[in-house]
């Protein structure tokens, strides 16, 4: 046991992964010995929510305050810069190992009701390495409460081309409402000095979309694929721009207040989201 909880090791073909139980986090993913996501030492507290799972909301709740069913709730402010509640309640909790094999691990956790979020949830994270595809990630959550619970989910991996600076990488993003802007990467182009910290609304989430980053000098391409309607992209200034945060999300920032994309989990209902990370 260390500050990251326990470390789980997975391997399938040329893929290797390390999962930490704190935050059910992805600490490392390599393919043929090269980094696919920015890694962190399992025993260290990672910067910038590296690899963490974001439940029961991704991104931020403005002022940590929201209303549900006519009642006002106050969450703890844990992002003083934006004065908001950021990335849910489970990123720094120690998850329990449900099962593990050479290629797959399942972790579960119970989220009890609290003053700011008075709903009981049970969540499961499944990491499955497939030799020919990469790392499949499934996030499943069931509402154990006797009333409807507002809910959102996401994850916080940072794609990297073996830690090469992203300025020299070519980026492709799915079609979004940013067409024609500086953030439009639907046609592949170099990131260069572009700075991004933006939520993209994917235009066709019913079709699997892909974020793709290629570094010609390293002869490596990394990708993340999903069906989620929202995508947060951040050029990783806090991590010396060695990778790109690619966060598939079920809803945009402050969905607890706007209601946009918010999931209303009925008692006993289960929600699942999936994404895939790999390399070519």
């Amino acid at each position: 046991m260390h500050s990251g909880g326990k470390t789980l090791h997975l391997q399938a073909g040329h893929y290797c992964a390390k999962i930490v139980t704190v935050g059910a986090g992805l600490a490392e993913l390599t393919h043929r010995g090269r980094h696919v996501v920015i890694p962190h030492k399992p025993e260290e507290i990672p910067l910038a929510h590296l690899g963490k799972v974001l439940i029961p909301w991704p991104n931020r709740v403005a002022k940590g305050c929201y209303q549900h069913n006519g009642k006002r709730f106050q969450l703890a402010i844990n992002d003083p810069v934006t004065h908001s509640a950021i990335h849910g309640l489970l990123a720094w909790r120690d998850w329990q190992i449900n099962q593990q094999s050479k290629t797959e691990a399942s972790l579960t956790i119970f989220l009890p009701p609290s003053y700011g979020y008075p709903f009981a949830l049970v969540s499961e994270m499944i990491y499955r390495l497939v030799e020919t595809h990469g790392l499949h990630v499934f996030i499943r959550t069931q509402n154990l409460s006797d009333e409807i619970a507002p809910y959102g989910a996401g994850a916080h991996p940072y794609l990297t081309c073996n830690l090469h600076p992203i300025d020299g990488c070519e980026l492709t993003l799915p079609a979004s409402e940013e067409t024609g802007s500086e953030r439009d990467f639907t046609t592949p182009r170099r990131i260069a000095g572009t700075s991004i910290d933006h939520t993209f609304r994917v235009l066709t989430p019913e079709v699997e979309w892909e974020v793709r980053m290629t570094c010609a000098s390293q002869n490596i391409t990394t990708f993340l694929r999903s069906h989620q309607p929202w995508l947060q992209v951040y050029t990783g200034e806090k991590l010396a721009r060695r990778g790109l945060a690619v966060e598939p999300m079920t809803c945009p920032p402050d969905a607890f207040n706007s209601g946009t994309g918010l999931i209303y989990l009925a008692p006993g209902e289960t929600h699942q989201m999936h994404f895939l990370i790999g390399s070519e």
Side-chain angles (χ1 to χ4, degrees):
M1 183 74 74
H2 47 69
S3 62
K6 297 178 181 177
T7 306
L8 289 69
H9 298 264
L10 305 179
Q11 182 175 0
H14 296 292
Y15 280 104
C16 295
K18 292 180 183 178
I19 313 299
V20 290
T21 56
V22 170
L26 176 60
E28 183 175 286
L29 177 64
T30 62
H31 183 238
R32 298 184 183 275
R34 298 189 294 178
H35 292 289
V36 179
V37 299
I38 294 182
H40 70 84
K41 294 180 180 180
E43 64 274 14
E44 292 181 349
I45 298 175
L47 295 172
H49 283 82
L50 268 173
K52 297 302 184 183
V53 178
L54 317 177
I55 296 173
W57 72 87
N59 221 295
R60 293 164 175 82
V61 177
K63 300 180 181 179
C65 181
Y66 68 99
Q67 292 191 22
H68 178 71
N69 281 345
K71 297 179 181 179
R72 182 181 182 276
F73 299 101
Q74 180 66 55
L75 299 159
I77 302 298
N78 57 354
D79 186 9
V81 175
T82 61
H83 195 64
S84 62
I86 189 172
H87 292 333
L89 301 170
L90 297 179
W92 306 105
R93 292 276 302 277
D94 193 29
W95 294 52
Q96 302 301 305
I97 300 170
N98 185 36
Q99 61 180 10
Q100 182 185 7
S101 68
K102 182 179 179 181
T103 60
E104 184 173 326
S106 167
L107 300 93
T108 59
I109 195 167
F110 172 65
L111 177 64
S114 60
Y115 296 132
Y117 190 79
F119 312 97
L121 306 179
V122 61
S123 294
E124 179 183 21
M125 280 293 300
I126 299 173
Y127 289 100
R128 181 180 301 153
L129 267 183
V130 178
E131 178 179 357
T132 53
H133 293 85
L135 183 66
H136 288 275
V137 184
F138 301 87
I139 304 175
R140 295 174 182 163
T141 298
Q142 183 181 23
N143 180 10
L144 301 183
S145 307
D146 57 4
E147 59 179 311
I148 294 174
Y151 175 77
H156 213 305
Y158 282 75
L159 287 184
T160 186
C161 289
N162 200 32
L163 303 181
H164 190 81
I166 64 171
D167 299 48
C169 297
E170 184 179 85
L171 175 64
T172 309
L173 296 178
S176 71
E177 296 174 341
E178 295 301 312
T179 301
S181 75
E182 182 188 13
R183 296 185 289 261
D184 182 4
F185 282 84
T186 50
T187 299
R189 61 185 176 92
R190 283 188 64 199
I191 298 173
T194 304
S195 180
I196 305 172
D197 190 2
H198 186 73
T199 304
F200 294 81
R201 183 171 191 165
V202 181
L203 293 182
T204 56
E206 66 277 3
V207 178
E208 183 180 67
W209 51 258
E210 178 182 70
V211 173
R212 189 176 186 87
M213 192 162 62
T214 298
C215 181
S217 66
Q218 297 287 308
N219 191 27
I220 182 175
T221 294
T222 57
F223 59 82
L224 185 146
R225 298 169 183 160
S226 187
H227 287 274
Q228 299 310 307
W230 299 91
L231 169 67
Q232 184 77 22
V233 176
Y234 165 55
T235 40
E237 279 74 13
K238 292 180 180 179
L239 298 167
R241 291 174 64 94
R242 293 179 298 129
L244 186 78
V246 179
E247 308 165 45
M249 305 184 300
T250 62
C251 58
D254 206 28
F256 272 30
N257 284 302
S258 69
T260 303
L262 190 61
I263 295 165
Y264 294 94
L265 272 182
E269 184 180 4
T270 297
H271 175 269
Q272 174 175 292
M273 68 171 284
H274 163 262
F275 60 93
L276 170 69
I277 304 176
S279 176
E280 298 173 354

